[in-house]
Amino acid sequence: MNSPLDSSVLFTVGPVPISTSVATVWAIMVILSIVAVVVRRGLALVPSTTQALFELVVDAVDSQIRATMRVDPAPYRAFIGSLFVFILVCNWSALVPGMEPPTANLATDAALALLVFVAVIWFGVRAGGVRDFLATFASPSPVMIPLNFIESLTRTFSLLVRLFGNVMSGVYVIGIVLSLAGLLVPIPLMALELLTGAVQAYIFAVLAMVFIAGAIERDKT
Amino acid sequence: MNWIAIVSIIAAAVAVSFGAIGPAFAEGRAVAAAMDAIARQPEAANTISRTLFVGLAMIETMAIYCLVIALLLLFANPLLK
């Protein structure tokens, strides 16, 4: 059995090896962009069925941001919404025969977690300057500065490990059951994996919201 | 197969099996408390279940850490190189 920590090389561009998961991510990015552009072109005041479906998704993201962060969702809708939709499509791409979800690879999850780490700093600085953002590290008392600092690193790491562990373990459980029991037996497990994939995408987005909300929160007193 | 490999395999199994006990109890308690809260205040079900999901994810991370340690022992063991 292949190690889940390695990645297989699909082809090389010059000296740079391109792994299978990177190629899958590119394909998913292209498909999502094309869908977004096509849906955007057909926007109308009286929505078609497709538009209503996509508006439902945007509304759901908006209401989640409003409920979790208690701020106007407009500045965060693009980032949180893309994170959620991208991870969801990545997790569910396992349904396509022969495809392995790119989130079952450590590198993809590391990139996503790094994005959240940078976004927390970006939104925190944008909300009220560098000084105020750094002041959030001393938030209950200055004694907490080293702990808050370490926490901002470890929570990024746990974000990465959580998504990787869940998706990769699902892939492996299905693979093991398939090799032991044979065709059609792992279908209930695949259904469970769909649920896990959706829940993990939701949790990743909610945790990104919680981290950003912590960075933009200002002491009112 | 030398003894480092044998010990690694046993350690991986022990890490996952014992590492799953704590989070399992913790998730059970969290869900039970959330059920209790929803039964008392059904109108707050949305907030409670969202917080529950985030909390469960946090708890589950402990079990996932054990899984990652087990994988490191099995597939990326530095002592076997």
Side-chain angles (χ1 to χ4, degrees), chain A residues 75-169:
Chain A
Y76 312 103
R77 183 189 298 135
F79 180 64
I80 303 289
S82 338
L83 262 188
F84 175 71
V85 172
F86 179 73
I87 297 175
L88 187 68
V89 173
C90 279
N91 289 348
W92 283 6
S93 69
L95 281 186
V96 180
M99 259 174 87
E100 193 171 289
T103 36
N105 189 290
L106 207 48
T108 317
D109 300 332
L112 288 168
L114 200 63
L115 263 181
V116 172
F117 181 72
V118 172
V120 167
I121 297 172
W122 163 254
F123 284 122
V125 169
R126 213 180 59 168
V130 180
R131 243 185 91 88
D132 275 12
F133 172 65
L134 290 178
T136 57
F137 282 100
S139 105
S141 78
V143 185
M144 298 290 282
I145 290 175
L147 277 180
N148 281 335
F149 210 73
I150 294 171
E151 189 217 352
S152 73
L153 295 176
T154 52
R155 71 186 186 190
T156 310
F157 182 72
S158 80
L159 208 57
L160 133 76
V161 172
R162 179 180 306 118
L163 186 59
F164 167 70
N166 277 292
V167 180
M168 180 272 309
S169 59

Side-chain angles (χ1 to χ4, degrees), chain A residues 40-73:
Chain A
R40 191 175 189 275
R41 190 165 291 164
L43 285 188
L45 214 53
V46 180
S48 60
T49 318
T50 328
Q51 189 184 337
L53 189 73
F54 279 84
E55 280 180 1
L56 200 67
V57 174
V58 174
D59 256 7
V61 170
D62 269 10
S63 69
Q64 286 299 321
I65 294 176
R66 210 172 282 123
T68 311
M69 300 172 69
R70 306 197 180 285
V71 291
D72 177 43

Side-chain angles (χ1 to χ4, degrees), chain A residues 3-4 64 67-68 158 161-162 166 168 200 202-203 206-207, chain B residues 50 53-54 57-58 60-61 64-65 67-68 71-72 75-76:
Chain A
S3 161
Q64 286 299 321
T68 311
S158 80
V161 172
R162 179 180 306 118
N166 277 292
M168 180 272 309
Q200 287 308 316
Y202 172 72
I203 283 172
V206 166
L207 285 178
Chain B
R50 190 177 57 247
F53 268 122
V54 176
M58 292 290 184
E60 202 183 48
T61 312
I64 299 286
Y65 282 154
L67 176 69
V68 169
L71 288 177
L72 286 176
F75 292 108

